[in-house]
Amino acid sequence: MKYNCHLDLFDLQQYVKHALGAGYVVSRVENRFGGAQKVVYKVACTNHFVCMLYVWDLSKNYFQQEIEAELINKQSYGCDLFESNQAFLSRNGIRTPQVLYLNKERDRYPFDFALVEYIDGLDAAHYLDAETAVQEKVFGRLGTMLTKMHSLERDAFGKINDSSRAGKCHTLELENAKEQLAYAVNHISALQVNHGKLIDKLNELEAAIEPRARYSFIHGELGPDHVIVNDKLEPYLVDIEGSMYYDVEYEHSFLEFRFGDAYSYLDNARLDRSRMLFYKFYHHISCASGGLKLLHRGFPNRGLAEMIVEHNYRSALKFIEISEGDL
């Protein structure tokens, strides 16, 4: 068996047997490349059982610098966030893979890791061009699940274990957008030339937002690649570390441009337009900067990172090129 994993094979065997029983013997471990914030392996056993191994190794995180500096990426990284969010979502009937075993001891390895249920299926991107009847099942069910999740509310934003965050969460994203833009302008001349106009537009859109007192529970980065669809066409949410109570428009503005025409199944009539515009602009700036950082830090799928940068920086520029009614 070809083996390349964070855990020693003997150790992995012991953890699997401890979690599942003596009849579970590891036969194959496959690195599932693509994740930016944790390393994911697919683990197969001789009895045909399959599970996933999640490893939170900060040295392999493409946003290590931001996390160590306690910037915004710290909000979506770590085993503790995964554990609490997974329990909360499961308790509230939101489908997400179950935890089989979780190790935070760090006695043998300097990182946390977990064995997690394997969902045999494809990510939701494979259904964006599916026939209408299939789309209605997949994205209709996803829309119902998101409506249920977003109906979970409280009067403070932040992580489920932190209810002390009073005030306006969008002001955090205003400052974060300016930091991300400061990084991007050093590498994209069109953004550098229009830096002042982009800052003015950020301030203008943020100033139009009215105060609110309730926040919804959101995924935080819900693109089609963070939804796994099983053979029964049931969607499961993955990469849930960034889930929290926040403006629901933060979620929907991201859903809108990531899901394209399929967003019609996910739409929400109670969204605030001012917040939608602000967060849509924010996401384009943040994704352009994030894509650049992936390129600069050795992300293996350079084509994907380049596509992320190109699409999002051009989309950000549209906010200063066309009228608000056309956005």
Side-chain angles (χ1 to χ4, degrees):
M1 174 180 65
K2 184 178 179 181
Y3 188 77
N4 180 22
C5 182
H6 269 74
L7 274 63
D8 177 83
L9 179 57
F10 177 82
D11 291 340
L12 178 59
Q13 293 274 13
Q14 298 309 305
Y15 292 127
V16 168
K17 289 183 178 181
H18 173 77
L20 304 171
Y24 293 80
V25 178
V26 176
S27 61
R28 182 177 176 82
V29 181
E30 175 188 341
N31 192 333
R32 303 296 290 266
F33 294 101
Q37 297 237 50
K38 64 177 176 286
V39 185
V40 177
Y41 300 92
K42 181 179 177 182
V43 179
C45 295
T46 55
N47 62 358
H48 305 295
F49 179 82
V50 179
C51 65
M52 307 302 288
L53 170 65
Y54 291 175
V55 176
W56 289 273
D57 179 356
L58 187 56
S59 70
K60 301 298 183 182
N61 189 302
Y62 289 96
F63 299 101
Q64 179 181 358
Q65 296 171 228
E66 289 76 13
I67 293 168
E68 289 179 337
E70 298 193 350
L71 299 176
I72 199 75
N73 294 79
K74 186 177 176 65
Q75 297 181 6
S76 57
Y77 172 74
C79 180
D80 289 337
L81 293 177
F82 169 77
E83 181 182 24
S84 56
N85 287 335
Q86 196 282 332
F88 179 80
L89 290 170
S90 295
R91 190 163 62 246
N92 284 282
I94 309 301
R95 280 190 297 270
T96 188
Q98 297 301 298
V99 179
L100 306 175
Y101 173 78
L102 193 147
N103 188 301
K104 297 189 290 182
E105 298 172 359
R106 301 197 182 187
D107 53 348
R108 183 159 177 78
Y109 296 97
F111 48 75
D112 301 329
F113 58 92
L115 296 173
V116 179
E117 177 188 9
Y118 171 67
I119 305 301
D120 190 5
L122 301 170
D123 71 45
H126 290 81
Y127 296 92
L128 293 176
D129 296 318
E131 60 185 53
T132 301
V134 174
Q135 279 200 349
E136 287 178 349
K137 281 190 176 181
V138 172
F139 297 111
R141 288 170 174 173
L142 178 60
T144 298
M145 188 163 64
L146 293 183
T147 297
K148 182 177 182 180
M149 182 173 73
H150 294 158
S151 70
L152 303 170
E153 297 182 338
R154 73 179 189 193
D155 59 3
F157 71 88
K159 298 300 179 182
I160 57 174
N161 296 327
D162 178 11
S163 59
S164 63
R165 304 298 295 274
K168 300 175 290 187
C169 59
H170 63 268
T171 60
L172 297 179
E173 306 305 347
L174 175 64
E175 296 309 312
N176 185 44
K178 291 177 180 178
E179 290 179 7
Q180 301 306 319
L181 188 57
Y183 184 91
V185 297
N186 292 320
H187 306 281
I188 302 175
S189 59
L191 296 183
Q192 185 176 46
V193 169
N194 292 283
H195 188 200
K197 292 180 180 179
L198 292 165
I199 293 293
D200 289 344
K201 178 57 72 171
L202 272 170
N203 290 329
E204 174 191 328
L205 293 176
E206 190 275 336
I209 296 177
E210 297 291 335
R212 96 164 9 139
R214 301 288 291 174
Y215 298 93
S216 298
F217 196 77
I218 69 171
H219 177 279
E221 194 185 1
L222 195 55
D225 52 332
H226 290 163
V227 179
I228 303 299
V229 182
N230 69 10
D231 57 359
K232 297 179 182 178
L233 300 183
E234 297 170 328
Y236 287 73
L237 305 186
V238 298
D239 290 338
I240 57 173
E241 288 92 325
S243 300
M244 59 185 167
Y245 287 96
Y246 224 64
D247 279 336
V248 70
E249 291 84 3
Y250 183 99
E251 186 104 291
H252 272 275
S253 57
F254 194 72
L255 292 169
E256 187 176 30
F257 79 81
R258 288 300 312 278
F259 280 85
D261 292 340
Y263 177 69
S264 61
Y265 297 101
L266 315 177
D267 200 358
N268 185 322
R270 67 185 182 94
L271 299 171
D272 176 70
R273 176 165 173 75
S274 293
R275 280 180 167 81
M276 284 291 287
L277 284 173
F278 170 77
Y279 283 124
K280 185 177 181 182
F281 190 32
Y282 161 80
H283 284 308
H284 287 312
I285 292 172
S286 177
C287 289
S289 176
L292 283 168
K293 291 174 183 178
L294 292 178
L295 285 173
H296 300 159
R297 298 169 185 178
F299 188 67
N301 192 340
R302 290 190 62 84
L304 174 62
E306 289 169 353
M307 183 177 66
I308 290 171
V309 174
E310 180 79 11
H311 171 77
N312 284 287
Y313 97 76
R314 293 190 181 279
S315 297
L317 287 173
K318 288 181 181 178
F319 273 76
I320 61 173
E321 295 170 351
I322 60 180
S323 65
E324 180 179 302
D326 296 324
L327 291 171

